[in-house]
Amino acid sequence: MAARHAFVALLALTASLLLPESGQKWWVTGLSGGSDHLPLGESHFLKTSLVRRKLIGISPSSQLQQVMLWDFFAFVFSFLTEVPYPQVLLFSHSSTFSLRKKKSLKALRVSDKIFSHILQNPVGSRVFHVTAYGADSSGKTDSTDALMKAIADAFQAADAHVLMQGIPDLGGSEIHLDGGVYLISRPLRFPSSGGGNLLVSPLPLLTVHGGSLRASDDFPADGYLIELQPSSSSYAFEDITFKDLMLDANYRGGGMSIVNSLRTTIDNCYVSHFMSDGILVKGGHETYIHNSFLGQHITAGGDPGEKSFSGTGINLMSNDNAVTDVVIFSAQTGILISGQANIITGVHCYNKATGWGGTGIYVQSPGLSQTRIVDCYLDYTGIVAEDPVQLHISNSFFLGNAFVLLKSIAGVVNGLNIVDNMFSGDGKALDIVQLDQSKTAFTSIDQVVIDRNNVRGMNLRSTTAKGTAYGNGTNTWTVDFSSVLLFPDLIRHVQYTLYTPGVFPNHALRNVSRNSVTVGADTPVSASVFVSVDQNTLPIAS
């Protein structure tokens, strides 16, 4: 750091000897520490945490030549110190001088704009600042065209390399929102020609701010604020990252549409006021959504309008995706899953209570779910799964009578685990796992394990159970498991033990029906019978 400071001081001293004094004031500094960028009029002033450098005068009449000279000094500084060229900045302070000739003033304004663009988008840089394209960061005027120009330029930064076949490598290009709020009147659709290795972020070069996209009142109701949508069914986008964004759909459409894309990352985003989907993922593979918040209405629960919530927070019509550490606080459905091999972890859904018709997580992939839901918090809203096949739900917390509903479409449930969860209710005797067999009964049931869940204020349901019956001077013992076993009239495995302190009788399993087990003996005795049952077909040991 000391060496860098020395180079900066030497650079400033050299410049002060070469450039003439005048009323035009300039700061020059190397930004290797924190800084604040303060706009003043048409030009800029830089206040840095480093030692302030010597004020150096520049004659307005030779403005363009001096800018070029300063640009040369910046390049030399960057080369010697390895500080990235865009971080070696020069800003003018035009509040202390006056010009007599309009021509000189015009030249100064033109050079200032040119230099500002060079500073934000230097030649060869792959960082694209939307404000340099004329985007209005106040959100007062439409910035759609400016944002689209920045996106188009970012996709022109491709080099000779490719990611997946046909997807150009954009070399880590970055689109920065510069901490602004931008009004858009139509979707920001990324070029259908595609590309990869791109970051869309509100983090400008010098400071860290949030960034927002807000739909205008005439935004198309069937559109999304951001759309990755190739022109064909083949993959066109790979390794696109959306980070630290707020998307306000203004009750006009959706937040983000990711179609036929590979390895997309959505990180620390806030999506609100959507009418369709907060985030739609359709086709493609491996979209990772994490550390984000989604809600149709901005609320913290107990909203008087909760009954009318609509839309879907996250719609996964795709395979191999991950949703991690996400909160969905208002929507008809929190997460809708119709693809396979997806994992949901650390998600908190309080989007719309089940009592109002809401669903926290809806697994709508009957016949082949292949979904894992782990370490989630279902807050007054539960999970619905249609014909679940290979579905795993574990280590989750269900509050406020939230439960798991298995919905029969073709009567199939296979490879289902609902284990090690906590259920808490208000004593209304709701079952923690329920069956919807209104369309057809479940008839193909195999490898279903619902066990080791703990319950408070709700009814336990399981596919395994244990019970005891005691009889004094009797020859039959019956244990009824109908209040615990999930599937009606289904016991596929029974194991029992008969204990008596007296004469030991001959005994046998006499009846298994209606989820009850009866054991009989050939003579009346005082005995206890311990019974374990399972609704699964257990493998036969060889």
Side-chain angles (χ1 to χ4, degrees):
M1 185 66 71
R4 289 183 179 180
H5 288 186
F7 278 123
V8 172
L10 179 61
L11 185 64
L13 178 60
T14 304
S16 65
L17 296 175
L18 293 175
L19 299 175
E21 294 288 334
S22 78
Q24 169 67 5
K25 308 296 185 180
W26 293 81
W27 285 107
V28 60
T29 184
L31 291 183
S32 52
S35 64
D36 294 318
H37 175 199
L38 306 175
L40 286 176
E42 296 176 347
S43 302
H44 301 84
F45 173 80
L46 192 64
K47 170 186 171 185
T48 176
S49 62
L50 303 179
V51 179
R52 288 191 174 188
R53 312 304 175 200
K54 177 180 174 65
L55 276 175
I56 302 163
I58 295 179
S59 171
S61 62
S62 59
Q63 177 77 13
L64 290 174
Q65 292 89 336
Q66 305 306 328
V67 167
M68 293 175 65
L69 182 57
W70 277 109
D71 196 40
F72 170 73
F73 281 124
F75 175 79
V76 172
F77 174 85
S78 175
F79 178 78
L80 293 175
T81 63
E82 297 184 355
V83 175
Y85 173 76
Q87 289 185 270
V88 185
L89 303 182
L90 181 64
F91 285 84
S92 65
H93 185 322
S94 59
S95 62
T96 61
F97 73 94
S98 61
L99 294 174
R100 295 180 180 178
K101 296 182 179 180
K102 293 182 180 180
K103 184 177 180 181
S104 297
L105 179 60
K106 182 178 180 181
L108 177 61
R109 287 176 174 172
V110 170
S111 64
D112 190 49
K113 289 182 179 179
I114 293 173
F115 193 67
S116 175
H117 187 82
I118 291 173
L119 291 177
Q120 294 195 17
N121 299 301
V123 176
S125 171
R126 293 186 176 181
V127 178
F128 301 87
H129 295 263
V130 298
T131 51
Y133 292 84
D136 178 10
S137 61
S138 70
K140 296 178 181 178
T141 59
D142 191 345
S143 294
T144 308
D145 290 338
L147 291 166
M148 289 302 298
K149 288 178 183 177
I151 293 171
D153 278 2
F155 274 75
Q156 292 299 316
D159 54 28
H161 299 89
V162 296
L163 300 175
M164 282 286 291
Q165 184 176 359
I167 301 179
D169 185 350
L170 303 181
S173 296
E174 300 181 10
I175 301 173
H176 286 305
L177 299 188
D178 296 327
V181 178
Y182 303 93
L183 186 70
I184 61 175
S185 57
R186 64 182 187 277
L188 300 181
R189 177 169 291 188
F190 282 44
S192 59
S193 57
N197 195 6
L198 173 73
L199 170 68
V200 181
S201 167
L203 306 180
L205 189 61
L206 303 180
T207 55
V208 179
H209 292 287
S212 301
L213 299 176
R214 181 166 295 148
S216 63
D217 292 337
D218 58 350
F219 190 90
D222 60 348
Y224 291 80
L225 294 175
I226 296 175
E227 295 184 353
L228 293 185
Q229 189 166 328
S231 56
S232 67
S233 59
S234 60
Y235 301 132
F237 302 101
E238 181 179 3
D239 191 22
I240 307 292
T241 298
F242 299 95
K243 183 177 175 63
D244 304 328
L245 301 177
M246 180 171 183
L247 305 180
D248 182 352
N250 193 24
Y251 301 112
R252 294 293 302 168
M256 193 180 300
S257 173
I258 311 297
V259 179
N260 287 343
S261 300
L262 297 174
R263 292 173 274 279
T264 304
T265 299
I266 301 171
D267 181 23
N268 194 33
C269 292
Y270 191 120
V271 186
S272 66
H273 301 147
F274 50 85
M275 291 301 291
S276 53
D277 305 307
I279 299 173
L280 168 66
V281 182
K282 185 176 181 180
H285 291 268
E286 299 148 12
T287 293
Y288 275 48
I289 305 170
H290 50 264
N291 303 327
S292 295
F293 301 88
L294 299 98
Q296 184 181 70
H297 303 268
I298 297 179
T299 178
D303 193 290
E306 181 175 348
K307 187 176 182 180
S308 63
F309 289 175
S310 61
T312 300
I314 299 174
N315 189 352
L316 297 180
M317 303 173 66
S318 173
N319 302 338
D320 309 331
N321 307 294
V323 180
T324 306
D325 298 332
V326 168
V327 176
I328 304 172
F329 52 85
S330 61
Q332 170 75 23
T333 303
I335 301 177
L336 178 61
I337 306 171
S338 54
Q340 287 79 42
N342 294 293
I343 181 167
I344 314 297
T345 62
V347 171
H348 180 192
C349 291
Y350 61 104
N351 46 288
K352 185 176 184 178
T354 300
W356 294 119
T359 303
I361 302 174
Y362 199 123
V363 184
Q364 196 176 44
S365 46
L368 191 60
S369 310
Q370 293 183 330
T371 296
R372 293 150 292 164
I373 302 173
V374 182
D375 294 329
C376 291
Y377 178 11
L378 284 302
D379 193 349
Y380 283 80
T381 185
I383 296 175
V384 176
E386 295 182 353
D387 276 4
V389 174
Q390 290 192 315
L391 172 63
H392 182 85
I393 302 171
S394 70
N395 296 306
S396 295
F397 178 42
F398 294 76
L399 180 66
N401 293 321
F403 57 86
V404 179
L405 177 66
L406 307 181
K407 188 173 183 178
S408 175
I409 303 299
V412 178
V413 54
N414 189 312
L416 170 66
N417 301 321
I418 304 176
V419 295
D420 300 322
N421 301 285
M422 295 191 299
F423 293 82
S424 179
D426 58 6
K428 292 183 179 179
L430 292 178
D431 295 341
I432 64 170
V433 182
Q434 301 181 22
L435 303 178
D436 179 355
Q437 302 184 94
S438 57
K439 185 173 182 179
T440 185
F442 283 109
T443 55
S444 179
I445 304 167
D446 192 24
Q447 300 182 75
V448 178
V449 180
I450 302 174
D451 196 15
R452 303 194 309 271
N453 300 294
N454 69 71
V455 178
R456 182 175 183 269
M458 299 179 72
N459 290 338
L460 179 68
R461 285 290 178 176
S462 179
T463 55
T464 65
K466 296 178 180 180
T468 303
Y470 174 77
N472 185 12
T474 183
N475 62 351
T476 60
W477 298 264
T478 299
V479 182
D480 186 358
F481 295 100
S482 59
S483 63
V484 178
L485 293 178
L486 176 64
F487 297 101
D489 199 15
L490 180 65
I491 295 178
R492 287 176 169 163
H493 182 83
V494 177
Q495 184 175 2
Y496 77 91
T497 299
L498 186 146
Y499 168 77
T500 177
V503 178
F504 200 80
N506 295 317
H507 55 86
L509 182 64
R510 301 294 299 272
N511 186 53
V512 179
S513 63
R514 299 180 180 178
N515 285 344
S516 292
V517 173
T518 300
V519 175
D522 61 352
T523 183
V525 294
S526 296
S528 296
V529 174
F530 306 92
V531 183
S532 298
V533 296
D534 199 312
Q535 295 192 304
N536 286 291
T537 301
L538 300 182
I540 300 175
S542 57

